[in-house]
Amino acid sequence: MPRKIAYGENAAKEFEYPENCLVVTTTTPDIYEKWLSYMGLKNYEIYDKVTPDPAIETIEEIKKKYEGKKISTYIGLGGGSSMDVCKYLSKLTGIPKILIPTTFGTGAEMTTYAVVSFDHKKKLLQDEAFLADAAIVDPYFLPGTPFNIMRNSACDAMAQASEGYDSKLGNPFTRLFCKEAFDILENAIMNDKPELLPYGAMLSGIGFGNSSTTLGHALSYVFSNEGVPHGYSLSSCTTVAHKFNKSPYYERFKKVCQKLKFEPLQLKQPLDQAADVIMPDRGHLDNNPINVTKQDIVKCLGDIVNSNPLI
Ligand SMILES: [Zn+2]
């Protein structure tokens, strides 16, 4: 866990930021200007050209652009992509990072994971250097989030909590966080209490961040590589993975996805070819509670695209 965690209403407003920060964000000036004035940031630089599933080339471009500008700290402000870019930049340059989620799904502010695309393929990386120097979780950023982004983020957080619960790397401590996270997130969605999402996503980050996600996330990357948003692809992928694993969360996860009205997924590439992309993803598959063969992957992909797993 990050050594410094500022949580709650006004946490981002009351935090004392250093000068000469570089703010990295995925959002647009009309939105982030309001956020930055709330945070009271002074003398900062801003990079707002980060896109979802950031490529290594983008990160290297930012590093080059701000070399010699005496940046004191990176601030990742936005969804998982903004935070992942800061994590990787910080590893390259040694400059510290403050991570502030605004969509509350990935839990990236709590973890040592980063997802970066190499050659148009998403790759899950882990490094102690990716851990935030400070994480700020403030529900201020939640209102106004478009429904699509909210539901994809919530689905990601719930997939992470439940896959993390089932992970072979889990222990009673991580399962405590995963279980609590899932209960809170489920309550937030099923009973229309979105204000609970930031806390649930944060707990999910602590839980899965120390036990890893599993088959559901492994299956999802071939859909993301074809442009499906991360959280969206997990609705079907984690449901099918939970069924395969006989997860205690199978029914509950599916019910939440039904409530969020996710549609079935399609895949352009042949299933066999997609399975070849998924099989080397040992970071996810080795932690799956049940051993997974290539035939199992093809079968799971078939269940995702040939029928509606959310019915
Ligand atoms: Zn995820």
Side-chain angles (χ1 to χ4, degrees):
M1 266 186 251
R3 270 200 304 170
K4 246 192 221 172
I5 299 173
Y7 172 79
E9 268 176 44
N10 293 323
K13 189 179 182 176
E14 287 162 5
F15 195 89
E16 290 192 19
Y17 302 92
E19 295 212 352
N20 303 319
C21 292
L22 171 61
V23 179
V24 176
T25 186
T26 36
T27 189
T28 46
D30 53 321
I31 296 171
Y32 68 67
E33 273 163 14
K34 208 178 87 197
W35 290 351
L36 295 174
S37 87
Y38 168 76
M39 291 159 62
L41 221 59
K42 289 189 195 78
N43 301 331
Y44 57 86
E45 301 268 350
I46 186 137
Y47 185 89
D48 62 1
K49 306 211 165 32
V50 174
T51 49
D53 304 328
I56 183 69
E57 289 80 13
T58 308
I59 295 170
E60 273 158 3
E61 183 196 309
I62 303 173
K63 177 175 175 273
K64 223 167 146 194
K65 186 169 175 191
Y66 294 95
E67 249 161 11
K69 287 212 171 171
K70 294 208 171 69
I71 298 297
S72 68
T73 308
Y74 300 121
I75 299 183
L77 179 67
S81 308
S82 317
M83 294 189 273
D84 285 348
V85 166
C86 286
K87 286 176 166 192
Y88 204 97
L89 269 175
S90 170
K91 180 182 148 73
L92 293 179
T93 63
I95 295 172
K97 58 208 162 301
I98 298 171
L99 303 182
I100 311 175
T102 62
T103 55
F104 309 108
T106 67
E109 72 280 6
M110 293 292 152
T111 74
T112 56
Y113 294 113
V115 179
V116 176
S117 291
F118 295 82
D119 206 10
H120 306 287
K121 288 194 180 70
K122 281 175 69 165
K123 225 179 143 190
L124 176 74
L125 310 167
Q126 185 181 28
D127 199 307
E128 292 298 314
F130 291 155
L131 197 64
D133 294 274
I136 304 175
V137 180
D138 185 339
Y140 164 83
F141 301 103
L142 188 69
T145 307
F147 173 73
N148 247 334
I149 292 183
M150 189 281 293
R151 76 167 168 178
N152 293 350
S153 304
C155 186
D156 188 19
M158 301 196 77
Q160 287 168 174
S162 49
E163 289 181 36
Y165 186 91
D166 295 339
S167 165
K168 258 191 203 166
L169 288 184
N171 59 51
F173 182 76
T174 59
R175 281 193 286 272
L176 182 80
F177 281 95
C178 287
K179 181 183 178 305
E180 183 70 8
F182 194 92
D183 289 351
I184 291 170
L185 295 162
E186 182 184 46
N187 181 20
I189 298 302
M190 299 310 280
N191 300 310
D192 300 312
K193 295 179 184 166
E195 67 277 10
L196 298 178
L197 291 173
Y199 187 54
M202 175 177 139
L203 295 188
S204 167
I206 298 171
F208 98 86
N210 290 287
S211 61
S212 112
T213 48
T214 53
L215 177 61
H217 268 65
L219 293 170
S220 79
Y221 282 16
V222 288
F223 295 92
S224 311
N225 291 341
E226 293 189 2
V228 182
H230 178 61
Y232 202 109
S233 62
L234 289 167
S235 57
S236 287
C237 291
T238 300
T239 299
V240 165
H242 279 347
K243 192 172 186 188
F244 175 83
N245 287 329
K246 299 189 175 57
S247 167
Y249 287 103
Y250 167 63
E251 288 291 344
R252 289 169 71 190
F253 184 83
K254 190 167 82 169
K255 278 211 174 77
V256 176
C257 291
Q258 286 167 346
K259 163 108 187 186
L260 292 173
K261 297 193 168 25
F262 285 107
E263 298 285 333
L265 302 176
Q266 289 171 342
L267 197 62
K268 293 187 194 103
Q269 59 193 303
L271 302 190
D272 189 76
Q273 194 184 316
D276 284 332
V277 175
I278 293 168
M279 276 309 278
D281 182 4
R282 304 322 305 174
H284 286 116
L285 296 177
D286 286 346
N287 305 325
N288 197 61
I290 298 175
N291 184 46
V292 189
T293 64
K294 187 181 162 187
Q295 284 85 340
D296 294 330
I297 301 263
V298 173
K299 163 97 177 47
C300 284
L301 290 172
D303 290 347
I304 292 168
V305 298
N306 295 331
S307 61
N308 183 357
L310 298 179
I311 290 176

